[in-house]
Amino acid sequence: MANRFIAGMDVSFLDEIEQAGGLFYENGIAENCLAIMKGNGVNAIRLRIWNDPPGGMCNLARTAAIAKRVKAQGMSLLLDFHYSDVWADPAHQTKPAAWQHLSFEELGEAVYSYTKGTLEALRAEGALPDMVQVGNEITPGMLWDEGKVDGELNTDSQWSKFASLVQQGIQAVRDTDTSIAVMIHIDRGGDNPSSRSFYDRFEQLGVEFDVIGLSYYPWWHGTLDQLRANLHDLALRYGKPILVVETAYPWTLDGEGKQFIVASEQQLHAGYPASPEGQEQFLADLIRLIKETPGGKGIGFYYWEPCWIPVKKEWSVGHANNWSNLTLFDFEGRKLQGLSLLVNA
């Protein structure tokens, strides 16, 4: 991927969507979702992995099945370790149930062995990832409370513990295959002070990684101008490639009785209506902005869950789909025009 812009998609729900009978259409014809994406310029796929999820999805076996299909399409694979049985994000970094009573030393060993074991299993399936995230949106740390650096635990000693856990994951990746790139992912796309504070800490603590990853959702993370300023500063400050590794934008606010995360005009970015055209323009401007990052350090993006269409009421994650107006397919699985623009990305 070094010489081409990454136009990526996180399709971690695809397995569950297909099992529920979800279909995807281009020009009125039902097609394999990954094939539609590849045909529209997508060249990379991101998959999350949970240790032992109660719903039975996004575990090693199910992730490996989708990863093999990604590789068969000739697309790059980014594997996103949450180090949890459930969502890991700035509000939740819950240790896997099997790790709850481990000592700190044992916890570090578990991170290493789980990371390496997962990668070796994927290698055996011919689906070794090209890039790995050690943690998901780890701005406040991970594996709480041992690796928490939020609130009262935002201390030098806690940062050292957090960094050592991350380094165990990084070492496991390096020991598996040195060609796999390592990303460190936080959620502060438009927040330069917080981004600098985090990556400065990791630099001071000697955490060696390859790629900076940022989430950018305008209703949470500021304007495109703020994202541009942050990308510019981080590129010059650290000299590392940068990915906007999560993003999305709504194509409608008409819920038809559905519950959405983005449900009001007040949540929209100025200048981009919640319409297929507005979504397409947002993506076009985002891509242009990333490519303008100094030194060519803006290497691409991943759109989060573009195919999570509402084919069932309850999902393995324990709640209804609140994302179906942020997809790149409509409620019936028909491709939206925003996906088509990636052909020229």
Side-chain angles (χ1 to χ4, degrees):
M1 300 300 295
N3 297 318
R4 57 177 175 163
F5 187 80
I6 295 173
M9 302 282 149
D10 186 316
V11 300
S12 300
F13 273 118
L14 178 59
D15 189 19
E16 188 169 357
I17 294 162
E18 291 176 338
Q19 288 190 31
L23 296 174
F24 299 90
Y25 298 88
E26 185 168 30
N27 300 320
I29 301 171
E31 300 283 358
N32 177 293
C33 185
L34 291 177
I36 291 174
M37 289 181 173
K38 183 178 181 182
N40 283 273
V42 174
N43 55 28
I45 295 294
R46 178 186 190 234
L47 299 174
R48 65 177 167 270
I49 187 163
W50 289 329
N51 289 43
D52 188 17
M57 308 300 292
C58 297
N59 58 19
L60 176 56
R62 301 312 311 158
T63 300
I66 299 297
K68 290 169 67 176
R69 291 172 54 188
V70 171
K71 290 290 186 173
Q73 290 286 345
M75 293 190 280
S76 174
L77 175 63
L78 166 59
L79 187 64
D80 175 12
F81 282 96
H82 281 229
Y83 299 112
S84 182
D85 297 333
V86 293
W87 299 113
D89 55 44
H92 318 87
Q93 293 283 341
T94 307
K95 286 182 293 186
W99 297 3
Q100 286 293 329
H101 302 294
L102 298 181
S103 67
F104 181 75
E105 181 178 347
E106 291 169 335
L107 191 60
E109 293 169 353
V111 171
Y112 180 92
S113 60
Y114 172 71
T115 304
K116 194 167 192 304
T118 297
L119 295 176
E120 292 291 2
L122 290 173
R123 191 210 300 273
E125 295 284 350
L128 193 67
D130 303 277
M131 188 181 300
V132 162
Q133 283 182 228
V134 177
N136 186 75
E137 293 187 333
I138 57 173
T139 319
M142 69 182 196
L143 295 166
W144 289 354
D145 282 332
E146 286 83 349
K148 190 173 186 177
V149 291
D150 196 31
E152 294 180 353
L153 295 178
N154 186 6
T155 64
D156 289 346
S157 61
Q158 281 296 117
W159 273 94
S160 293
K161 292 173 70 176
F162 169 38
S164 72
L165 293 172
V166 172
Q167 286 169 315
Q168 289 277 17
I170 293 172
Q171 191 59 53
V173 178
R174 305 296 193 210
D175 288 349
T176 303
D177 193 316
T178 56
S179 70
I180 300 174
V182 174
M183 178 199 299
I184 298 298
H185 171 212
I186 66 173
D187 70 312
R188 304 301 174 92
D191 184 347
N192 182 244
S194 293
S195 298
R196 284 177 58 158
S197 176
F198 182 95
Y199 290 111
D200 278 357
R201 279 278 197 175
F202 266 32
E203 192 170 69
Q204 292 159 8
L205 290 164
V207 180
E208 296 184 359
F209 62 97
D210 306 306
V211 179
I212 289 172
L214 302 172
S215 293
Y216 174 68
Y217 301 107
W219 52 93
W220 288 323
H221 303 134
T223 66
L224 284 168
D225 284 343
Q226 289 171 316
L227 174 64
R228 178 186 290 105
N230 195 23
L231 294 177
H232 186 105
D233 181 70
L234 298 183
L236 296 178
R237 188 173 182 83
Y238 305 109
K240 294 182 183 292
I242 305 173
L243 274 166
V244 175
V245 73
E246 291 188 27
T247 194
Y249 202 77
W251 55 271
T252 186
L253 296 179
D254 183 359
E256 301 178 359
K258 301 175 178 65
Q259 298 297 313
F260 296 142
I261 283 180
V262 178
S264 71
E265 296 281 346
Q266 289 72 30
Q267 292 172 282
L268 300 180
H269 192 300
Y272 303 95
S275 66
E277 295 78 14
Q279 182 189 64
E280 180 184 23
Q281 191 59 54
F282 174 84
L283 271 175
D285 290 347
L286 175 70
I287 290 168
R288 186 179 307 111
L289 180 157
I290 295 169
K291 289 183 174 181
E292 291 170 353
T293 303
K297 296 301 184 183
I299 62 171
F301 76 99
Y302 287 81
Y303 195 101
W304 198 80
E305 292 295 359
C307 56
W308 192 11
I309 59 176
V311 292
K312 56 193 286 193
K313 291 184 177 180
E314 291 294 323
W315 295 75
S316 62
V317 291
H319 60 71
N321 180 347
N322 53 19
W323 203 260
S324 58
N325 68 330
L326 294 162
T327 53
L328 293 174
F329 296 86
D330 69 14
F331 299 141
E332 285 72 43
R334 295 171 297 209
K335 186 190 79 169
L336 295 168
Q337 61 197 61
L339 184 58
S340 301
L341 75 87
L342 300 183
V343 170
N344 299 315

